Amino acid sequence: MVEHLECDQGVRLLLTPNRSLGWQGNVRIWLVLFVMSLVISMGMAIAGAWVIVPFAGLELVALAAGIYVTSRNCQAREVLMIGPGGITLEKGRTTKHSEWHFPGQYTRVRVRLPRHPFAPPKLFLTHRNQTIALGPFLNVEDTQILLRILEGKGVTLDRQTPSPNVSFWF
């Protein structure tokens, strides 16, 4: 998602992944699946197939780990500030983990166009030999919104067409 934040000078954008379900919703779904798995595995254990129980437990642990990792990755945030002093990009989750400052007129956004029309373009902030991914979690619509905002603020965009995909089938 692309959100405008309050800023005295220039533009300040908050880039976040789309989160269709929050942490509480994910826990509720896991609990429903836990109860269903418990009922089924206990029924199988009573019927004599007790070997199902440990595998049901492993399945639930793997599902919980997947939900946790996905929820953690959905907490990623990027703050992009475009002002008269240049472009600043901050990345982190709940706190700022990294920050980059670029002079405005020498910084470009490289747009690597996708091979497939449903995939979003990949964006990179580039300055001299430094390249930083910009909003790798954005979907197609949010990437287009961000590109319109960047063009409106005078940021130079370098569009790269995808290289032909050469593959051999054996």
Side-chain angles (χ1 to χ4, degrees):
M1 296 172 37
V2 179
E3 298 178 43
H4 283 273
L5 300 175
E6 294 294 324
C7 185
D8 295 333
Q9 300 174 352
V11 174
R12 189 172 179 198
L13 304 170
L14 174 64
L15 310 176
T16 58
N18 290 336
R19 291 185 291 267
S20 59
L21 198 58
W23 177 249
Q24 296 295 330
N26 286 329
V27 170
R28 288 183 187 132
I29 286 179
W30 186 84
L31 287 173
V32 167
L33 293 173
F34 173 79
V35 169
M36 288 174 42
S37 180
L38 182 67
V39 168
I40 292 170
S41 63
M42 287 300 121
M44 295 295 248
I46 291 170
W50 58 268
V51 77
I52 300 286
V53 175
F55 289 106
L58 286 174
E59 179 184 29
L60 288 170
V61 168
L63 181 63
I67 288 173
Y68 174 77
V69 169
T70 301
S71 293
R72 185 170 181 259
N73 288 341
C74 284
Q75 296 300 316
R77 294 173 184 237
E78 294 182 6
V79 177
L80 181 65
M81 293 173 280
I82 305 168
I87 298 173
T88 302
L89 177 64
E90 299 173 352
K91 291 187 178 195
R93 286 193 176 83
T94 55
T95 60
K96 177 174 55 172
H97 291 243
S98 13
E99 181 176 4
W100 295 270
H101 299 283
F102 301 105
Q105 71 186 76
Y106 300 111
T107 303
R108 299 178 181 275
V109 173
R110 187 172 6 130
V111 182
R112 188 177 302 154
L113 299 173
R115 290 188 180 102
H116 194 276
F118 298 122
K122 302 293 182 196
L123 306 179
F124 301 92
L125 270 178
T126 60
H127 175 70
R128 295 187 182 175
N129 293 332
Q130 194 172 19
T131 301
I132 290 99
L134 178 63
F137 42 74
L138 294 176
N139 61 24
V140 176
E141 294 82 20
D142 291 335
T143 303
Q144 295 304 323
I145 291 169
L146 179 60
L147 287 173
R148 276 183 291 207
I149 292 171
L150 293 173
E151 281 181 321
K153 290 299 172 186
V155 177
T156 305
L157 302 179
D158 291 335
R159 297 181 193 271
Q160 297 178 339
T161 58
S163 59
N165 188 8
V166 179
S167 62
F168 298 97
W169 295 89
F170 294 101

